[in-house]
Amino acid sequence: MIPLHAAEIAEITRGSLGAETAPEVLVTADAVVDSRLAQPGSLFVAVVGESLDGHDYVGAALGGGAVLALVSRPVSGPHVLVDDTVEALGELARAVLARLREHGLIRVVGITGSVGKTSTKDLLGQVLAAHGPTIAPVASFNNEIGLPLTVLRADRHTRFLVLEMGASGIGHIEYLTRIAPLDVAVVLMVGQAHLGEFGGIEAVARAKREIVEGLLPAGTSVLNADDPRVAAMSGHAPADVVLFGAGDEAHVRAVDVELDPGGRARFTLHAGSERHPVALLVVGEHHVSNALAVASAALALGIPASAVAGAIGEARAISPHRMQVVERPDGVTIIDDAYNANPDSMRAALKALAAMTGSSRRSVAVVGEMLELGEGSATAHGDVGRLAVELEIDRLVVVGEGAAAVGEGAREASGGSAEVFQVDNVEAAARLIEAELQAGDVVLVKSSHGSGLWRLGDSLSEPKE
């Protein structure tokens, strides 16, 4: 974060200094909302959540080294008082980014899509870091709190700022792009995530389109040519459009895609007249599309295609519970993809499992509920079970009543012959899996984060002798 005095922060946020707060108090470290992350020079932002109130932790943050708190009610210690701390955080980020742009060096990339945002920002952050100081979000910092926290990590040395932009309603991404207007906007796909909140797939598309509309006048739109709803967003682009995908209409394509025995893709990157081989380290064929999005964004930022291809091939999965592959000492392979789930990502994960097992290893899919799907939830879960049978997954473990339709779909598709186990909770799934695992098994753990199956992913990934 660029150094800011308390008086400057109060002016930017339209707040007021606490009675005993010196105007010259200087913030020199990152802004944080978790008091445990405070360090010398930090700004602590007291956010009021559903179960916790950040104001109760101001003392702990100051004790940890924070020099100033942003609060919506008076507290002990140096602070700036504002009406709403989340809105003030956004205003602070917007102002800081505007100052950084005055130097003319920083370029800002925003990524959205129903599937793959976090994996793609991880890949892009690594590719860009090879060409200049880069800031990218930790975990899934993609909302009205996480995005400005990411922006505030940038300083005058930052060359590239990568931002993940999520939405659970119309106007959410528009708000984020007001905080951080974009040089490059990437849209991965319009899928069925959060359909229950949006009310329909067209509303999802409209919400994702806001990232294109949030571009700076000369900004570049990077759009998935294989998704008609995304490709149609080119009509709203203010300037250049780069299409990526499998079809001939795409400017950036992957040709001759193959999977190795570990489920990692190899392909030839076609970018204009250039051709470059790429071998991914991340697991799953679905990462080919993510890699093309990364390549397109990097090319739009002026990085040569040869350098892009090489850097993509060196990028690794760095966020937990997202196609995280662990090879256990006992010969069992765990694919932990339990951070989130929707029908699109569930299909991708099951296909990756099938690719990694082939005919020589036993495949086990541990599947939990996909949340926020609305009226089509039962059908979507049933489709997962039917796909598992189609892919010849050997064993299917369904966790929780909300996912029961997965088992029903598998039994229906197999005429009752599918090996399906229904368990009530994560603990029961853990007992079943550990009792049944054999050397050579490949186990996929997949569900929405709220289903709690990520705890099983952690447990199964611990070293076993």
Side-chain angles (χ1 to χ4, degrees):
M1 181 168 171
I2 64 174
L4 290 172
H5 290 102
E8 292 179 279
I9 293 174
E11 180 181 3
I12 291 169
T13 60
R14 295 185 294 278
S16 58
L17 293 175
E20 300 179 1
T21 303
E24 64 271 16
V25 168
L26 186 64
V27 173
T28 57
D30 291 345
V32 298
V33 296
D34 184 337
S35 62
R36 296 169 295 183
L37 301 179
Q39 56 184 304
S42 287
L43 170 69
F44 176 68
V45 183
V47 175
V48 179
E50 293 182 3
S51 57
L52 294 175
D53 185 343
H55 294 81
D56 297 334
Y57 299 89
V58 170
L62 296 175
V67 295
L68 188 70
L70 191 63
V71 298
S72 56
R73 66 169 184 263
V75 296
S76 298
H79 64 272
V80 171
L81 181 65
V82 296
D83 291 334
D84 185 304
T85 56
V86 173
E87 290 184 4
L89 176 64
E91 282 299 306
L92 184 61
R94 182 194 60 76
V96 165
L97 180 55
R99 291 189 187 187
L100 294 177
R101 283 194 181 278
E102 291 176 2
H103 294 265
L105 293 176
I106 193 167
R107 305 289 299 280
V108 185
V109 183
I111 301 170
T112 196
S114 300
V115 179
K117 295 186 296 295
T118 299
S119 297
T120 302
K121 66 87 177 171
D122 285 345
L123 296 177
L124 181 59
Q126 293 173 78
V127 169
L128 296 180
H131 297 273
T134 299
I135 296 294
V138 296
S140 286
F141 273 32
N142 62 16
N143 62 10
E144 71 278 11
I145 298 173
L147 181 136
L149 288 176
T150 302
V151 172
L152 290 172
R153 289 171 49 212
D155 59 24
R156 289 184 173 85
H157 301 290
T158 302
R159 182 71 179 89
F160 301 110
L161 175 60
V162 179
L163 300 172
E164 182 179 338
M165 296 186 168
S168 55
I170 302 297
H172 291 183
I173 292 178
E174 179 187 6
Y175 172 76
L176 298 179
T177 60
R178 289 203 303 270
I179 295 172
L182 303 172
D183 296 287
V184 178
V186 180
V187 187
L188 302 173
M189 68 174 299
V190 173
Q192 300 181 65
H194 308 296
L195 276 184
E197 294 179 345
F198 281 98
I201 193 73
E202 296 305 327
V204 176
R206 179 182 168 193
K208 301 302 182 186
R209 192 182 73 202
E210 291 171 2
I211 196 172
V212 173
E213 297 167 340
L215 278 163
L216 292 168
T220 300
S221 302
V222 173
L223 305 176
N224 185 354
D226 297 335
D227 185 327
R229 292 185 176 89
V230 176
M233 296 178 191
S234 61
H236 298 266
D240 292 342
V241 174
V242 178
L243 297 176
F244 66 90
D248 292 339
E249 71 277 12
H251 305 111
V252 179
R253 297 191 295 138
V255 177
D256 300 326
V257 177
E258 297 180 349
L259 292 183
D260 70 14
R264 295 174 291 265
R266 297 175 180 270
F267 60 90
T268 300
L269 176 69
H270 285 214
S273 60
E274 296 193 47
R275 307 288 185 267
H276 300 283
V278 175
L280 298 180
L281 294 178
V282 290
V283 173
E285 187 176 5
H286 59 292
H287 280 304
V288 173
S289 182
N290 296 341
L292 292 178
V294 168
S296 301
L299 290 167
L301 292 168
I303 299 175
S306 58
V308 170
I312 290 175
E314 296 175 356
R316 299 179 178 274
I318 57 178
S319 291
H321 305 296
R322 293 173 176 84
M323 294 304 290
Q324 188 174 17
V325 178
V326 175
E327 301 286 352
R328 299 193 338 184
D330 61 359
V332 173
T333 300
I334 304 298
I335 309 172
D336 181 0
D337 198 33
Y339 183 83
N340 214 339
N342 56 58
D344 301 300
S345 67
M346 189 70 81
R347 283 192 291 271
L350 286 172
K351 289 180 180 178
L353 172 63
M356 289 181 67
T357 54
S359 59
S360 61
R361 305 179 70 181
R362 187 172 67 159
S363 54
V364 181
V366 187
V367 177
E369 184 177 3
M370 300 179 290
L371 301 173
E372 301 171 352
L373 294 185
E375 294 180 359
S377 179
T379 299
H381 282 87
D383 288 343
V384 170
R386 287 182 277 273
L387 178 61
V389 172
E390 178 184 331
L391 294 172
E392 298 182 349
I393 303 302
D394 295 308
R395 180 166 294 196
L396 184 62
V397 179
V398 181
V399 184
E401 183 61 32
V406 174
E408 296 168 4
R411 295 185 190 95
E412 173 190 319
S414 66
S417 64
E419 196 166 1
V420 179
F421 299 84
Q422 175 78 43
V423 295
D424 293 334
N425 50 48
V426 173
E427 292 73 23
R431 290 192 297 270
L432 173 66
I433 292 298
E434 289 291 9
E436 296 288 331
L437 284 183
Q438 304 171 5
D441 285 353
V442 182
V443 183
L444 169 69
V445 182
K446 180 70 175 172
S447 75
S448 288
H449 190 267
S451 300
L453 210 54
W454 58 269
R455 299 197 305 274
L456 178 61
D458 283 343
S459 174
L460 292 174
S461 298
E462 293 175 357
K464 301 292 191 299
E465 298 298 336

